[in-house]
Amino acid sequence: MSQLILSVHSGVHDAAVAIFEDYDLKAAIALERLTRHKSDGSVHPDAAIDEVLSIAGATRRDVDVVATSRAMFPKAYFPRLGGLRWLREQYRSRVGKDRLLLGAEQHRYRAQRAEDVFDAAAWRRDGGFRDDAAIHFYNHHEAHALPTLFYSPWPDALLVTADGGGDNVNYSYRHFADRRLTTLYGDDACLFLPNPVDSLGRAYSAATKSLGFRPNRHEGKLTGLAAMGKPTAADTIAGYFSVAPDGRIQSSFRSYHQMNALMRRLAKQAGREDFAASIQKVLEDTMLLSLQRLLQRHPARHLGLSGGVFANVKLNRLLAEQLPIDELFIFPAMGDDGLPIGGVLSYLMQRDGLVPWLGRRRDLGDVYLGRDFQAGLDAGIAATPGIRRVDEAPVDGAVKRLVAGEIGAIYNGRMEYGPRALGARTILANPARRGTHDLLNERLSRSEFMPFAPVITTERAAEVFDVNPVNARACRYMTIACDVRPEWRGRIPAVVHVDGSARPQVIARPDNPLYYDIVEGFAQASGLPVLVNTSFNVHEEPIVNSPDEALRALLDGRIDFLVTTGGLYRRDAT
């Protein structure tokens, strides 16, 4: 009998929930899309739990298994708090810090099982789940790693994760060969070791903060700035990092306080662009050397990457071009919002064993995993005051307006899971004018340093971009940068960075016919097979979820038109 498996990550940022029926992923959503607070992890993601259950047509009482990261839980579920520590936590609760990190509590008390420090039964009961619902506590880095293997048909692979930390490590390395999966570093065996101060992810976030941006949110700004500077401070930063012969990344920082202080000092000395180029170079050089040494010791032709560090599309490009591999795949929800997917896969591997688990592998397909608002959508839009339906076919009307330089948005089906807009909640524009970049930034209240990303059909992708067998699947999810062919750079300037690169999305028609047909129609009308694709949101807001959020953008003049499968809409004033 199949099991309904709910998976939760209640982190301080990027809280998220997913639901599976055995191996079938039914729904997934990040808390931010419901609360409308970017990267939200301020509360336990009950709203996201209820949302995915509703999408799946289930209730909490239907759940057979709850998989959860060892992240943030209310202090009431930690019975070992006592004495002076109890008094300290009472004070912290009064100033709003009313949750504890379960993994840290296990580390503190050297507890082999989460249940030794956490009242799981009370948490399950208070959450409205059945008493016989199993609870599975999954490892942070294993949950990052497993989706890259499960959603890939590879006979061998090196699986690498890297982020700002989870379950007491900042990296993990796993090798898959001969139908055996071997953990080289980064599993629960590390839970009770001294906390390592070796995170490149934390260093990059410290650099982000040192330049006045928000860590865990604006690292992409540094990636864009890096192409505009010279790595004048790279040698100084690199002097603190090293790579062991086995590929392990190490550092000589005594504490993250020391790391943060260095970043602040260098940011002031080097200047914005040069400092960004410096931390980017250290990230690239160190990660490349680490993976080269890992592959020398553990040969594989396929590379699976996840964790927040691999949101860096420039790093991913370097690895794809420099390593001797046949394919690279970055899980689309590579940050902590993707952990619930891996958490279920961790449970299923434990339940069924590796060989049956491998036999259930499949292509990830699209990641349209939010609620489907299509029922009654067009009638609701047409009835909205201030909005009128245009009497034209949606694709034809959208193409005509994009050719004329208008800015439009697609609102279609279920919302994307992960940080990238992939055609369900996407803003589109003409890439032929460099001024499009400035216009979009003005309309969306953004101040980005990367160009807007392009979208292109699978049939023409290699004509315009350096899309090849190594990076093609990553391009499907817009998780890698690549070269723009020289003859096209001047024709699509709005999507080309100063270094001649872009971060394309390659779209196949079965995934999203409306999106594909608009791109193809624009190519026929303009001679350009590319459109600008940027996420349907304004600065510092999550990607839109509900129809009301999309209509607000139209009414506020952020976009000129909105297109669905059933119609094309404009403001009455225009």
Side-chain angles (χ1 to χ4, degrees):
M1 181 179 295
S2 65
Q3 291 183 310
L4 189 67
I5 309 166
L6 180 77
S7 190
V8 180
H9 172 60
S10 180
V12 293
H13 61 84
D14 296 322
V17 179
I19 191 164
F20 282 67
E21 185 174 353
D22 272 6
Y23 289 87
D24 295 330
L25 174 57
K26 298 298 184 181
I29 193 167
L31 180 64
E32 66 165 20
R33 306 296 172 87
L34 302 173
T35 64
R36 310 308 301 160
H37 299 302
K38 188 74 171 172
S39 304
D40 198 5
S42 61
V43 295
H44 193 268
D46 283 298
I49 290 173
D50 292 336
E51 179 74 352
V52 299
L53 285 168
S54 175
I55 293 170
T59 71
R60 296 188 182 212
R61 302 297 293 178
D62 297 318
V63 172
D64 299 303
V65 181
V66 182
T68 178
S69 62
R70 292 184 289 236
M72 305 300 292
F73 294 92
K75 294 174 183 176
Y77 298 112
F78 293 89
R80 294 185 68 166
L81 291 179
L84 291 176
R85 182 140 190 265
W86 182 86
L87 291 173
R88 174 177 176 270
E89 294 302 336
Q90 290 297 305
Y91 168 76
R92 286 168 57 85
S93 295
R94 288 180 177 273
V95 296
K97 297 180 179 180
D98 57 354
R99 297 187 295 165
L100 290 174
L101 187 65
L102 175 53
E105 293 303 296
Q106 282 189 251
H107 177 84
R108 179 189 299 273
Y109 294 106
R110 303 191 65 79
Q112 296 291 333
R113 303 182 316 127
E115 291 86 348
D116 293 337
V117 294
F118 179 73
D119 191 344
W123 177 74
R124 175 176 53 204
R125 181 185 63 247
D126 292 348
F129 303 105
R130 302 193 316 263
D131 288 344
D132 65 346
I135 299 179
H136 172 71
F137 295 96
Y138 59 81
N139 177 275
H140 182 101
H141 282 270
E142 182 182 49
H144 273 318
L146 290 182
T148 65
L149 179 61
F150 184 79
Y151 294 110
S152 303
W154 297 329
D156 64 45
L158 179 68
L159 311 180
V160 176
T161 68
D163 62 12
D167 285 341
N168 206 45
V169 293
N170 305 308
Y171 309 93
S172 75
Y173 316 115
R174 290 171 170 82
H175 186 241
F176 173 64
D178 300 323
R179 300 178 71 79
R180 291 195 297 270
L181 181 62
T182 304
T183 300
L184 309 173
Y185 171 76
D187 61 7
D188 280 354
C190 301
L191 195 59
F192 306 115
L193 298 176
N195 184 249
V197 188
D198 58 11
S199 172
L200 285 164
R202 289 278 291 269
Y204 208 98
S205 291
T208 301
K209 184 176 182 180
S210 295
L211 289 181
F213 302 121
R214 295 191 65 171
N216 294 320
R217 187 180 300 184
H218 293 156
E219 280 77 5
K221 294 178 184 290
L222 265 68
T223 310
L225 281 170
M228 304 174 187
K230 299 182 183 302
T232 55
D235 288 347
T236 301
I237 302 170
Y240 288 87
F241 287 97
S242 61
V243 178
D246 65 356
R248 286 272 307 277
I249 294 173
Q250 301 170 336
S251 96
S252 58
F253 286 111
R254 297 185 302 276
S255 66
Y256 282 112
H257 176 77
Q258 181 191 13
M259 177 188 287
N260 296 341
L262 174 72
M263 296 301 168
R264 288 193 298 270
R265 176 171 63 83
L266 293 178
K268 292 178 181 178
Q269 295 173 352
R272 190 175 67 173
E273 288 79 6
D274 289 350
F275 182 58
S278 299
I279 189 64
Q280 180 70 27
K281 179 173 172 54
V282 173
L283 175 69
E284 292 180 7
D285 290 351
T286 309
M287 287 301 307
L288 177 60
L289 180 58
S290 172
L291 268 65
Q292 286 172 331
R293 291 183 173 175
L294 282 161
L295 286 169
Q296 287 169 0
R297 290 199 173 199
H298 310 282
R301 299 299 304 178
H302 307 89
L303 181 61
L305 305 174
S306 194
V309 164
F310 297 111
N312 191 302
V313 296
K314 191 168 180 286
L315 167 65
N316 298 341
R317 174 188 178 180
L318 177 79
L319 299 177
E321 292 177 349
Q322 296 296 319
L323 294 173
I325 55 175
D326 295 331
E327 185 178 57
L328 169 149
F329 179 53
I330 305 102
F331 187 59
M334 73 293 289
D336 285 359
D337 54 336
L339 288 172
I341 305 292
V344 173
L345 296 176
S346 166
Y347 167 76
L348 290 168
M349 182 182 289
Q350 183 183 97
R351 185 192 75 178
D352 298 342
L354 176 61
V355 173
W357 186 92
L358 292 170
R360 302 297 295 271
R361 288 190 294 171
R362 76 247 349 237
D363 180 68
L364 178 60
D366 65 62
V367 287
Y368 304 138
L369 295 169
R371 181 179 294 278
D372 190 344
F373 291 93
Q374 290 297 113
L377 172 66
D378 287 279
I381 295 175
T384 302
I387 292 177
R388 63 182 175 86
R389 180 170 178 164
V390 177
D391 189 20
E392 298 177 37
V395 171
D396 295 341
V399 167
K400 180 176 73 175
R401 286 163 176 78
L402 291 167
V403 170
E406 292 191 16
I407 295 172
I410 291 179
Y411 188 92
N412 182 33
R414 302 177 69 180
M415 179 181 59
E416 304 93 334
Y417 187 54
R420 314 290 191 219
L422 299 172
R425 306 288 188 271
T426 281
I427 289 176
L428 298 173
N430 191 323
R433 307 169 186 175
R434 185 65 193 180
T436 297
H437 185 271
D438 296 332
L439 178 61
L440 281 166
N441 279 335
E442 179 183 352
R443 290 275 195 98
L444 303 177
S445 302
R446 297 182 187 172
S447 56
E448 302 293 338
F449 306 104
M450 289 287 280
F452 292 96
V455 57
I456 191 168
T457 64
T458 54
E459 293 83 359
R460 300 196 64 179
E463 175 187 342
V464 180
F465 306 102
D466 182 20
V467 175
N468 54 66
V470 176
N471 66 15
R473 193 151 61 107
C475 287
R476 182 179 182 183
Y477 304 103
M478 205 187 293
T479 56
I480 195 166
C482 64
D483 191 52
V484 182
R485 302 205 183 279
E487 63 271 24
W488 281 98
R489 293 175 187 173
R491 300 183 64 185
I492 51 172
V495 297
V496 181
H497 200 26
V498 295
D499 61 0
S501 71
R503 186 191 67 193
Q505 181 194 3
V506 176
I507 180 73
R509 192 174 192 276
D511 285 345
N512 190 326
L514 175 64
Y515 191 30
Y516 180 99
D517 289 348
I518 291 173
V519 175
E520 179 64 21
F522 181 81
Q524 294 176 9
S526 68
L528 301 176
V530 171
L531 276 170
V532 172
N533 161 25
T534 190
S535 55
F536 193 174
N537 66 304
V538 299
H539 186 55
E540 291 304 304
E541 287 187 4
I543 294 172
V544 303
N545 178 26
S546 72
D548 288 346
E549 294 151 17
L551 293 176
R552 175 50 53 195
L554 182 58
L555 289 168
D556 288 347
R558 306 286 186 175
I559 53 176
D560 298 311
F561 66 89
L562 180 71
V563 62
T564 71
T565 54
L568 188 143
Y569 304 91
R570 299 177 66 90
R571 287 172 292 157
D572 278 337
T574 59

